[in-house]
Amino acid sequence: MAETESDSDSDDGHGDRLKVAISGGSMGGLFTALALDDADRAVDVEIFERSTGELRSRGAGIVAQPTILDFLDAHDIANPEELTTTTTTRQYLDREGAVERAYEESMAFTSWDGLYRRLGDAVPDENYHLGRTTISIDGKGTRTDEVDTESSRLTNGGRGERATLRFENGEILRTDLAVVAEGGQSGSREELLPDVKPEYAGYVAWRGVTPEGSVSASVHEQFEDTFTFYEGSEDLVLAYLIPGPDDSTAAGERRLNWVWYDPIERGERRGLMTDIDGRTHDFSVPPGKLRADVEEALLAAAEERLPGVFDDLVRATDDRFVQTIYDLEVPRTTFGRVCLLGDSAFVARPHTAAGTAKAAADGIALADALEASDRIGSALDDWERTRGKAGRRLVAEGRRMGENYMH
Ligand SMILES: Cc1cc2nc3c(=O)[nH]c(=O)nc-3n(C[C@H](O)[C@H](O)[C@H](O)COP(=O)(O)OP(=O)(O)OC[C@H]3O[C@@H](n4cnc5c(N)ncnc54)[C@H](O)[C@@H]3O)c2cc1C
């Protein structure tokens, strides 16, 4: 296909505005675009997302951390209360399903699909380009100080140095700043840091979501108002209620979300990743795509190893799926006019319940740094110092928690 080139500040008459292109339109990309859009600085943001339609939910339930709720509120995106379910108790069951210990704890939960939809609705359609896959990215220079020349002052749109994105359809875009928000398997990160690889943590998470009415009243009662756990000798399983598919938090319309961490040998894990259509995935098999033999083994293990209420919950769920748990961290997040954020840079284990909040915090901090400095290079340096440290700390915390839970 012939290559077409565009220069994001040469043809729109807004040369003084900072042009930002974001590769990846999920949580990290959306939070960043919205934070930049609200910054006290003239910024034009465009998102380029590989998927061609609405993104499939890759999570299910998520812990609604204050960073997320405050952002929704401050940006008038949603009333946090309308999007969240809450619990007042954390409880641990024994193998027979009796409550072994419990304590008071207030938690808020939401759903990945609901949050994604609300953030997506807040970004104008004309700035969100579906079906655009970045195949190569260049920040022009490998150290930020190499490009932080006088001509890169934000006030002139940073025209001295540019980032270049090449898309699969042959188009090339030059822009002031390119943000990589492509998730844990980011191709752009691989291009920039070929030696950085996800590190398998030794276990997977079986997951699922089911309407709360799909389980019996006695099973449902066990999960009402609680964040419920079972820690077996080799398993950790947890469940909580999340809003329904239409975001309803009314009793009877919510969904039960569960996650079951299960140690699996490296070789055996690879076998699980081939789906019902014979397609082999690197890290997860999407909902409804587990092979029949994998489903059968899962149900047998649930019966053998989990308390009855969790076994019932797993059985009641139609579209179970599996995700590999891995750690990932980069030695640096900025490459000239390119920066990596969210899961592209650091993937912490889900025990931290902070992946989405971290992606949000990365985007908010980037907007703040660009606002606080009149030079892109020094803004990125400041941003890298704080967010790099936060990312590394979270990955270490996730490892520590995983080692503790999964022995
Ligand atoms: C088992 C499990 C449980 C979790 N539980 C929680 C939880 O309770 N709370 C929480 O906050 N987080 C949780 N997370 C983490 C959370 O889902 C992620 O941290 C969050 O979605 C990261 O957002 P992101 O935008 O960085 O990456 P992603 O959500 O992975 O999005 C990357 C996007 O980039 C697009 N893309 C990729 N490559 C390209 C390309 N070349 N060109 C254009 N687009 C591209 C993809 O299509 C995708 O839309 C959990 C994760 C797992 C695995």
Side-chain angles (χ1 to χ4, degrees), residues 216-246:
S216 69
S218 59
V219 171
H220 185 274
E221 195 186 350
Q222 189 70 271
F223 297 112
E224 182 70 74
D225 208 27
T226 62
F227 191 9
T228 304
F229 290 76
Y230 167 69
E231 290 176 300
S233 57
E234 43 182 337
D235 307 284
L236 172 69
V237 54
L238 58 91
Y240 50 84
L241 281 156
I242 62 170
D246 59 355

Side-chain angles (χ1 to χ4, degrees), residues 102-362:
Y103 54 87
E104 278 181 25
E105 178 192 59
S106 298
M107 295 284 287
F109 302 95
T110 189
S111 68
W112 200 98
D113 46 2
L115 180 60
Y116 164 74
R117 212 169 32 246
R118 297 297 182 106
L119 294 171
D121 286 349
V123 172
D125 284 351
E126 62 269 26
N127 299 344
Y128 192 102
H129 309 278
L130 281 167
R132 293 288 287 275
T133 303
T134 306
I135 54 163
S136 177
I137 204 155
D138 178 17
K140 221 178 181 189
T142 51
R143 289 181 19 219
T144 49
D145 57 357
E146 285 170 19
V147 296
D148 197 8
T149 60
E150 271 310 301
S151 62
S152 74
R153 293 178 69 83
L154 299 187
T155 45
N156 72 2
R159 252 165 286 139
E161 301 293 340
R162 317 302 303 277
T164 307
L165 292 95
R166 283 165 198 274
F167 298 106
E168 202 174 40
N169 66 0
E171 286 177 27
I172 298 174
L173 176 76
R174 295 193 211 294
T175 188
D176 297 323
L177 174 63
V179 175
V180 176
E182 297 173 0
Q185 283 96 61
S186 163
S188 297
R189 184 198 61 238
E190 240 177 273
E191 185 186 12
L192 295 162
L193 293 166
D195 295 337
V196 171
K197 305 275 180 223
E199 241 178 81
Y200 179 45
Y203 52 102
V204 301
W206 303 100
R207 305 191 68 179
V209 171
T210 189
E212 59 180 318
S214 66
V215 295
S216 69
S218 59
V219 171
H220 185 274
E221 195 186 350
Q222 189 70 271
F223 297 112
E224 182 70 74
D225 208 27
T226 62
F227 191 9
T228 304
F229 290 76
Y230 167 69
E231 290 176 300
S233 57
E234 43 182 337
D235 307 284
L236 172 69
V237 54
L238 58 91
Y240 50 84
L241 281 156
I242 62 170
D246 59 355
D247 297 344
S248 173
T249 54
E253 293 174 10
R254 299 164 299 181
R255 295 172 287 177
L256 270 161
N257 170 78
W258 55 269
V259 186
W260 174 10
Y261 298 105
D262 180 16
I264 302 273
E265 295 292 331
R266 216 168 269 271
E268 199 191 332
R269 186 198 74 85
R270 269 196 293 276
L272 299 178
M273 295 293 141
T274 302
D275 71 17
I276 199 165
D277 305 318
R279 182 171 163 219
T280 301
H281 303 262
D282 287 334
F283 291 96
S284 62
V285 178
K289 292 285 182 186
L290 290 176
R291 288 195 320 271
D293 61 308
V294 173
E295 293 266 23
E296 246 171 66
L298 179 68
L299 294 180
E303 186 174 8
E304 190 192 328
R305 290 171 15 202
L306 304 186
V309 285
F310 275 114
D311 177 27
D312 286 357
L313 189 53
V314 173
R315 242 163 249 283
T317 304
D318 278 338
D319 290 331
R320 295 171 279 250
F321 61 106
V322 66
Q323 285 179 306
T324 299
I325 305 302
Y326 63 86
D327 303 305
L328 181 124
E329 63 181 279
V330 293
R332 47 194 287 238
T333 54
T334 58
F335 304 81
R337 292 302 182 86
V338 173
C339 67
L340 306 175
L341 61 67
D343 280 9
S344 295
F346 299 98
V347 178
R349 298 191 197 176
H351 314 298
T352 58
T356 306
K358 176 173 67 65
D362 286 349

